[in-house]
Amino acid sequence: VAVTLFSADTETFLIAPGLQAPPLVCLQFAYDDDAIQVLHVRDPACYLHVRAAVEGPAIWNFQNTAFDVCVLMAQYPDLIEPLFDLYERDQVCDTIIRQKLFDIAKGRFKIMSRRGYALDRIASAHKLDLGLDKNDPWRLRYGELVDTPVSAWPVEARRYAEKDVYAQRLIWHAQEKYAASRAIPLDDQFRQTRKALWLRLMECRGFMVDPRRTEAYIAEVRKVLEHDREELLAAGLVRNNGTKNMLEAKRHMVEHCRRAGHEDIPLTDGGEESYAAWLLAAGALGFVEGEDVADTLNRAPIGLTYSWWETQKDNALAGVSLNEDSVILYGDDLMESYQRYATSTTQLARAERLYLAARAGKPIQSTFGTLQDTGRTSCSQGDARKGTDANKSPTAYGAQIQNPANDKKIKRRDGSVFLRKGPRELFVPRRGRLLCSTDYPSAELFGWAQCCIWAGIPSRLASVLNNGGDPHAELGAELAGISVEEAYRRKDANDRDFIDKHRKTGKHGNFAFMGGAGAPRFVDMVWKLARQQIPLEQDTPEGPSAVTVRNAWYKTWPEARPYFRWVSRQLSGERGNERGDFTQFWSKRRRGGLWFSAMANTPFQGLIADIAGAACWRITREMYTGKCWDDRTRPSPLAGGFLVDFLHDEPISELLEERAHEGAFRQGEIQTATAREIGPDVSWGEIEPALMERWYKSAEWVFEHGPECKSGGKSTSTCKHTCRLIPWRPKENKAA
Ligand SMILES: [Zn+2]
């Protein structure tokens, strides 16, 4: 079936902090191979052509579509709902997303994404020579032409406006040909452009920061910094101007490891790469085509890291790891002090950036990446300029808000303990609004059970979940050597010995092993997660060894061995080196070049990402159109709200206070309904929405109980109809 292609682009005023969808200057477009038209925003034809394209049958083809669509939505608010409809009719493409889907399918995403997805890069990937001139003199100047009709524009200004449309058109056709010739499915592209739009709308709104709280936070961090500075100055690990002497710190670490008799030096990811390359180059290891660094190092002999380090001398960047885990396991007191200092300086720089935005009354507008090879999103600070002088003002004040540091108790050498606060509580809703977080409970377990079923394997985990059981108590029963009935009895009786020992270990085991982790990896994960040392093979009176937990896990979930056999069957294909491609059961997104562990994780991680993405699309639609996505005659309580953050499967929104209760439940219901629609064989957990006046990690639902309350003042799901959700507050503030 021939489609009509609407290739288009916009020119706008400059983006700036708080202004991510700036005013439109012109729209340039072409249907199929027609001549390219440039329409000025002041020309009434501009709006009419946009509307015709939104309502018509043509496929939209933009580069970074979400940016242009947000500009159009801001310019023409009456087209917001028709634009959502256009996306839902699968009519919106994006040359970047299509290219990412190719790179992921080929297993080359990590390499290719480093090169970026600019038009000329995509063009050269398809061997198209467009003669694109990156030094477009007009790129940042179209705002100057807002009072001039296109007919009076300088020739270059018009030419530059047209050239991207021309390029996008050629690229789209090259991509179609490429997909067909390699049989790479593009089914997922429309879902991914929808995801790109709701993420972009979220970036445009941004997350507000409380300036006074940030000031106090910065003062706290400075105090911690001072505490460690003197000793580090004396040891030469910090210079007089306060900067870290990293080379000296690494030397100290290596020397300490030698003295303490550690067989190897802890390395960073970059260090591991460099070390692996050195081993191969020196002939200490044979070369294996296409092997991961982790697998190379698994074959490496013990104790050669010291010889490698000798070759790195005077290289401050050489990858000796000084992170917290390495320092705790390998370092001494001085290294711990250095590590605290390093963390504090990073923390300070980040907080100062938040403060700049807060002082200027601007939101934090981070850069979210729509698609990683796992199917998940990513988040980064984006433009790193600080904007302390007007000429270097950044395009937005961003921050990593997807994975912010947690609060952490830190022990000092003198035995004193302090709490290192993460930045979460600096983030606040706008006036008259509340934050709302809705987290899928144990999404991975449901996802894994669903993927087992899709792979044709009967799942005991699915029946436990669907019957409202507790998978962690079930594994805990096996570990405690008691019956499942007894385990549930002890859990209900709040038996701390069972809950804190067996059920908790069961929980770690359930999350670790379904992704194909072995016992050593489990030891590592529990240490990182809970700072708990689990022995590898020998059970102790304090608890079972990793091997025992792994065996109990296999016994509890009979689907596990068949699942991993299924995973193995996906490997080895054409490369004959135990790698394979996987096409997502539901979304048909292909990921290529997977080793065993990625193959074990990709099906359920990708599924959860797809579910969360689809749910946030519906949530955002309701927020912006004010209507329920599944019944457009019904007003949605989410109207007027918006998303401010997205933590992989947990959205955080800002809801109008007066509708926060209804909005919060609606948000959670959409997530659950979407999950059940996409993964129909498992029940997926009920979501318990939490409201907040500040961003808190541990917020839970709290109700103001009404006279009709049937739960006796406890927060339960029956309160939804009889009581009102109120903001959760941490204990120390409850009196206030
Ligand atoms: Zn109640």
Side-chain angles (χ1 to χ4, degrees):
V1 188
V3 297
T4 306
L5 196 64
F6 174 70
S7 302
D9 189 17
T10 62
E11 301 300 341
T12 65
F13 279 77
L14 289 180
I15 55 173
L19 184 68
Q20 296 301 294
L24 184 67
V25 174
C26 67
L27 168 81
Q28 53 276 37
F29 69 94
Y31 282 97
D32 289 334
D33 292 333
D34 293 353
I36 296 163
Q37 302 190 50
V38 182
L39 293 180
H40 197 282
V41 66
R42 302 269 168 87
D43 179 346
C46 184
Y47 168 79
L48 294 175
H49 273 282
V50 174
R51 205 178 74 187
V54 173
E55 290 170 350
I59 298 285
W60 283 37
N61 169 40
F62 285 66
Q63 158 94 349
N64 192 11
T65 316
F67 172 82
D68 301 276
V69 169
C70 285
V71 166
L72 294 175
M73 283 181 161
Q75 192 76 36
Y76 307 125
D78 63 312
L79 295 182
I80 289 176
E81 190 174 354
L83 277 162
F84 274 103
D85 292 340
L86 178 81
Y87 273 84
E88 278 179 354
R89 293 196 306 267
D90 286 354
Q91 277 177 248
V92 183
C93 290
D94 187 317
T95 40
I96 296 179
I97 283 168
R98 287 154 68 89
Q99 199 62 29
K100 284 186 179 174
L101 287 172
F102 293 151
D103 290 341
I104 292 169
K106 288 185 295 177
R108 297 186 41 82
F109 178 76
K110 284 213 168 64
I111 300 162
M112 302 308 275
S113 60
R114 269 182 227 152
R115 299 182 196 167
Y117 287 92
L119 263 183
D120 57 335
R121 219 284 284 154
I122 301 180
S124 73
H126 292 278
K127 302 191 171 56
L128 297 171
D129 183 15
L130 304 173
L132 287 179
D133 182 1
K134 273 181 281 184
N135 307 314
D136 173 352
W138 283 94
R139 197 168 63 86
L140 302 175
R141 293 181 53 197
Y142 281 92
E144 296 170 22
L145 297 172
V146 76
D147 293 319
T148 315
V150 175
S151 55
W153 281 11
V155 171
E156 308 84 67
R158 197 192 151 110
R159 202 160 55 82
Y160 281 113
E162 288 174 355
K163 75 176 167 51
D164 282 3
V165 176
Y166 170 75
Q168 279 157 228
R169 187 161 67 185
L170 290 179
I171 287 172
W172 193 89
H173 287 291
Q175 288 176 328
E176 285 294 287
K177 231 191 263 168
Y178 187 89
S181 69
R182 310 276 171 121
I184 297 177
L186 278 173
D187 304 50
D188 197 36
Q189 63 171 327
F190 303 112
R191 272 186 290 277
Q192 295 301 333
T193 53
R194 288 194 277 272
K195 194 159 131 207
L197 179 63
W198 68 254
L199 282 166
R200 182 63 188 162
L201 284 165
M202 185 172 93
E203 290 171 11
C204 288
R205 292 289 179 178
F207 209 163
M208 297 306 286
V209 170
D210 173 347
R212 276 198 303 186
R213 183 67 85 97
T214 310
E215 246 174 48
Y217 181 84
I218 287 174
E220 271 307 303
V221 178
R222 285 225 171 93
K223 242 173 29 196
V224 173
L225 204 72
E226 292 309 319
H227 197 277
D228 287 309
R229 182 175 348 231
E230 214 166 302
E231 178 188 21
L232 292 167
L233 266 173
L237 301 193
V238 162
R239 302 186 188 90
N240 286 327
N241 64 4
T243 57
K244 291 165 294 176
N245 188 339
M246 228 198 310
L247 179 60
E248 221 23 70
K250 286 180 174 172
R251 277 204 194 112
H252 183 93
M253 182 71 156
V254 174
E255 273 160 29
H256 176 76
C257 284
R258 259 201 196 110
R259 274 199 307 273
H262 292 302
E263 283 165 333
D264 278 302
I265 315 167
L267 301 179
T268 61
D269 289 354
E272 287 189 345
E273 263 175 48
S274 147
Y275 177 51
W278 178 83
L279 286 168
L280 294 172
L285 277 181
F287 176 73
V288 175
E289 170 81 36
E291 189 180 55
D292 271 343
V293 170
D295 291 295
T296 309
L297 292 182
N298 275 340
R299 302 191 285 120
I302 286 170
L304 285 187
T305 45
Y306 292 100
S307 322
W308 163 80
W309 168 252
E310 297 303 324
T311 67
Q312 302 290 322
K313 57 169 167 269
D314 302 331
N315 180 3
L317 298 176
V320 174
S321 171
L322 300 174
N323 74 15
E324 195 179 343
D325 282 326
S326 312
V327 164
I328 290 175
L329 296 172
Y330 293 86
D332 58 2
D333 290 340
L334 187 66
M335 290 319 295
E336 287 189 25
S337 174
Y338 178 83
Q339 206 281 324
R340 275 197 305 269
Y341 186 85
T343 309
S344 300
T345 48
T346 313
Q347 206 186 358
L348 187 63
R350 289 183 183 160
E352 281 171 347
R353 189 169 178 78
L354 297 181
Y355 187 63
L356 278 174
R359 271 290 298 274
K362 303 294 182 195
I364 294 301
Q365 296 173 301
S366 308
T367 302
F368 279 82
T370 305
L371 183 58
Q372 303 283 104
D373 48 7
T374 54
R376 296 176 119 197
T377 58
S378 62
C379 172
S380 70
Q381 173 181 291
D383 188 343
R385 288 175 295 179
K386 278 201 164 177
T388 34
D389 82 70
N391 295 324
K392 289 186 192 141
S393 163
T395 50
Y397 292 106
Q400 216 297 17
I401 54 173
Q402 194 165 48
N403 191 17
N406 292 325
D407 296 356
K408 207 172 208 174
K409 274 188 188 140
I410 308 281
K411 235 193 215 149
R412 287 204 183 92
R413 192 179 196 169
D414 58 13
S416 66
V417 175
F418 74 97
L419 183 67
R420 189 198 289 287
K421 296 280 281 179
R424 273 193 184 75
E425 291 170 29
L426 309 180
F427 289 86
V428 289
R430 291 158 173 90
R431 193 184 296 268
R433 291 166 176 271
L434 291 169
L435 297 177
C436 170
S437 93
T438 42
D439 190 11
Y440 282 110
S442 315
E444 273 105 339
L445 299 183
F446 288 92
W448 190 75
Q450 177 63 70
C451 288
C452 282
I453 292 171
W454 275 333
I457 303 160
S459 168
R460 180 172 177 271
L461 179 59
S463 16
V464 168
L465 291 167
N466 291 351
N467 292 324
D470 174 358
H472 309 323
E474 302 247 349
L475 178 49
E478 188 63 44
L479 291 169
I482 56 176
S483 71
V484 170
E485 294 72 29
E486 176 65 12
Y488 281 112
R489 201 193 57 72
R490 290 191 191 178
K491 185 191 161 195
D492 291 340
N494 198 21
D495 176 339
R496 293 324 303 181
D497 185 59
F498 174 72
I499 292 175
D500 295 338
K501 218 155 103 188
H502 303 107
R503 187 183 174 278
K504 200 169 148 201
T505 308
K507 183 175 174 179
H508 292 317
N510 278 333
F511 285 116
F513 294 119
M514 61 188 181
R521 176 112 179 77
F522 179 69
V523 171
D524 225 44
M525 285 168 85
V526 175
W527 166 255
K528 283 198 174 127
L529 219 70
R531 285 282 175 268
Q532 189 189 338
Q533 282 277 25
I534 288 197
L536 181 62
E537 282 171 337
Q538 285 294 313
D539 296 348
T540 65
E542 286 79 56
S545 70
V547 169
T548 302
V549 181
R550 191 197 56 195
N551 293 342
W553 182 79
Y554 273 116
K555 211 166 154 198
T556 308
W557 312 119
E559 61 266 53
R561 285 184 202 281
Y563 177 72
F564 292 129
R565 277 200 296 274
W566 173 84
V567 168
S568 298
R569 283 202 304 276
Q570 312 307 308
L571 305 176
S572 92
E574 50 183 81
R575 295 178 188 84
N577 57 4
E578 299 185 349
R579 288 220 258 181
D581 297 355
F582 176 69
T583 304
Q584 283 292 329
F585 289 113
W586 180 75
S587 68
K588 309 297 175 210
R589 181 178 53 255
R590 184 174 301 164
R591 184 176 176 196
L594 301 175
W595 297 84
F596 181 86
S597 134
M599 184 64 84
N601 280 287
T602 294
F604 63 91
Q605 271 184 4
L607 171 64
I608 293 161
D610 289 337
I611 287 173
C616 286
W617 166 257
R618 289 169 170 174
I619 289 167
T620 304
R621 186 195 161 96
E622 294 202 359
M623 288 170 160
Y624 282 79
T625 64
K627 299 172 187 169
C628 289
W629 72 270
D630 48 350
D631 177 359
R632 312 247 161 113
T633 62
R634 256 175 62 212
S636 167
L638 288 167
F642 39 80
L643 296 182
V644 292
D645 200 358
F646 179 65
L647 317 169
H648 296 306
D649 49 32
E650 175 190 359
I652 297 182
S653 62
E654 245 186 64
L655 301 176
L656 293 171
E657 222 170 332
E658 63 269 24
R659 287 200 291 268
H661 172 96
E662 291 78 9
F665 276 102
R666 179 72 186 160
Q667 186 172 310
E669 280 161 15
I670 292 176
Q671 284 170 265
T672 318
T674 306
R676 287 178 185 162
E677 186 186 313
I678 295 174
D681 301 313
V682 289
S683 64
W684 301 90
E686 284 298 338
I687 287 171
E688 302 177 357
L691 295 177
M692 300 167 273
E693 292 155 324
R694 245 171 226 294
W695 184 14
Y696 296 111
K697 185 178 166 61
S698 43
E700 292 170 9
W701 63 1
V702 188
F703 291 92
E704 185 177 69
H705 298 281
E708 310 279 294
C709 178
K710 291 183 189 72
S711 76
K714 267 197 254 157
S715 297
T716 69
S717 50
T718 63
C719 291
K720 178 180 166 185
H721 303 290
T722 54
C723 317
R724 301 276 310 164
L725 269 181
I726 51 171
W728 179 93
R729 292 188 181 128
K731 278 209 177 77
E732 67 267 23
N733 292 355
K734 268 190 180 147

